[in-house]
Amino acid sequence: MTETGIVIAMFFSFLFSLFLGTPLVYVLGGLSIIFGFLFWGDTNIIALFVRTTTKLATTTSYVCIPLFIIMGAALEKSGAAAELFESIHVIMGRIKGGLAIATVIICALMGAATGVIGASITIMGLMALPAMLKCGYSKTLASGVVMAGGSLGSLIPPSVILVVYAGLSQLSISKLFAGGMGSGLFLTFLYIIYIVVLCIIKPDVAPPITQEQRESYDKKELQKMFWSSFVPTISLIVAVLGSIMSGIATPNEASALGALGAFILAAFKKKFNMKMVMECSYNAIKTTSMVVWIILTASMFTSVFLGLGGGRVVTELIMNLGGGNRWLILAIILGIIALMGLFLDSTGTLMIGVPLFTPILYSLGFDPLWFGIIFAVMIQLDYLSPPFAYAIFYLRAVAPPEVTTKDMYYAIIPFMLVQALSIVIMCFFPQIIQVLPSMVK
Amino acid sequence: MKSLSVVLKGIDKISIFLGKLFSVTTIIIMILQVTEIVLRYILKSPTIWIWELCVYLYGAAFVMAGAWVLQEDLHVRTDLLINNLNDRQRAFLDMIMYPPLVFVFIFVMTPAQISAAIHSFLIKETSFNAWGPPLYHFKAILSFGFVIFGLQAAANWIRSIVLVFKGVEI
């Protein structure tokens, strides 16, 4: 078989096995062994796989993944997120679209507290969505805000995606975190602009809360909630992210402090007990194991794929399609990443996409850090894009039945457009991504 | 059939037990890292062993929890096709796809991991860092993780076969 033939065979067996519903880990692991044996023609490939396992199990930078997950889970279980919502919701509810804006802001804050997106969509779906519906918000705006805001967690640090990206690309975690922060804030800002504009055009999609509803809240209790949930949560987030970006602590140390801080916060709220600690650690280890097993098998897969000439085939294909125009080539690559997101999860997309595309883009003079963040924004877009929108799956599980899945598909479209617009803007103004990292030592 | 069910449930229990046991490492890592911060920044006497130990704890935990994730069927898959299938049809697909993908992966990787661990024992391998602890215990844990992973995969496969041919879940 020719080189191109082998690469095409590998690609299609990959798609076919995924389509039959075999878990991604086995598709990647099984195919890399089969193709490695058949076409590499050398059993040394197995020794390479064993070394990959040892290397991954001893990767220092991945130690922070379970700890960031614990931090998020502990904050969630402490009830801090719920109180955060209650207190901001009354303050912001007075203006048109205020609840939607509050939801986006709280999602951004929660994104800064956890590394995984499922948690914030679940919480906001349980609290913010019914509150907005009760207030007379349109179903599409209310559910769209929860999904778009909730997936900000994949971009706003600490984000598991950025940790994995750092491990793959040898870029510094703190610089990637700083870049993710810049673009995450920018996206939050764009979402808010969209809500404000929508409220001006169609005021009845997001009415303010009534006097009656406002009075149903006890002011003193609200103030107490604000001081006991908003201030400590924000301080914890600032301490963790600040210590990483200023270079005082390594991401691993900061994640340990963050997890401990979240437990202490839970203890103050009398939610701390052995069961809660164990649940947080179960949650953390299951998610970490899921992600790192995919990283392991995807590393095996890409080393076989690249070794058999897959990189050359893909590069030639993209270069020919792009015809030498670097922006067209970037657009093609982003298109491919969007397609990959339709059938791969975020870790799979990263593991396969980074080794394939970064050499092409680096050779065309794109900034590695800038592209890293653009990649992360694309992955966030993957969470939102149907038919396999994880955001919709998470929200479906908790949304009231009157919000149909069809509503959610409609709801997500404007936010996907905002997201696409943000990528275009970040191409023209790379400073949005680059300013914060340049301040990081 | 009954004894088969007992064996499969036993494998489940082992996977869950080990997963939960090793999830404790996350809490241990947290405590160790915080201790290191206190030692380094407050008492000004950093250790050479804490960060390295944390890495091994994380590595052991991620491999050992793999079987638990498998037991709960949490590994991500594309549901384009299988959303429209019933349990028995899904089991049929698993029955067909496990041997070429899952078992090939496990049958090749597990012996390779074990022989790497044995080799490590024979040469008394240590790490190259300042602390330089022996590595063979760690490698033995990694290969044990693959064994449990394989056992759980076999259990899942047998379950799918029984579901396809007998129509019962055991």
Side-chain angles (χ1 to χ4, degrees), chain A residues 313-341 349 353 356-358 360-361 364 366 370-371 374-375 378 381-382 423-424 427:
Chain A
V313 173
V314 172
T315 309
E316 269 169 31
L317 190 72
I318 292 174
M319 287 299 197
N320 286 338
L321 276 175
N325 181 330
R326 65 199 285 257
W327 292 104
L328 187 58
I329 291 170
L330 177 71
I332 293 169
I333 288 176
L334 293 184
I336 299 175
I337 295 171
L339 280 180
M340 287 166 76
T349 312
L356 271 184
F357 303 138
T358 48
I360 305 177
L361 291 167
L364 291 170
F366 285 102
W370 176 83
F371 180 68
I374 294 286
F375 205 138
M378 283 304 297
L381 187 61
D382 284 343
I423 292 180
V424 175
C427 287

Side-chain angles (χ1 to χ4, degrees), chain A residues 46 50, chain B residues 105-118 143 146-147:
Chain A
I46 306 304
V50 172
Chain B
F105 173 68
I106 286 162
F107 282 144
V108 173
M109 288 299 280
T110 313
Q113 295 287 352
I114 293 174
S115 71
I118 291 173
S143 41
F146 271 85
V147 172

Side-chain angles (χ1 to χ4, degrees), chain A residues 403-425:
Chain A
V403 182
T404 62
T405 310
K406 205 174 148 203
D407 287 332
M408 293 183 192
Y409 281 120
Y410 279 116
I412 212 69
I413 294 168
F415 288 96
M416 284 174 65
L417 293 177
V418 171
Q419 192 101 11
L421 177 72
S422 81
I423 292 180
V424 175
I425 297 177

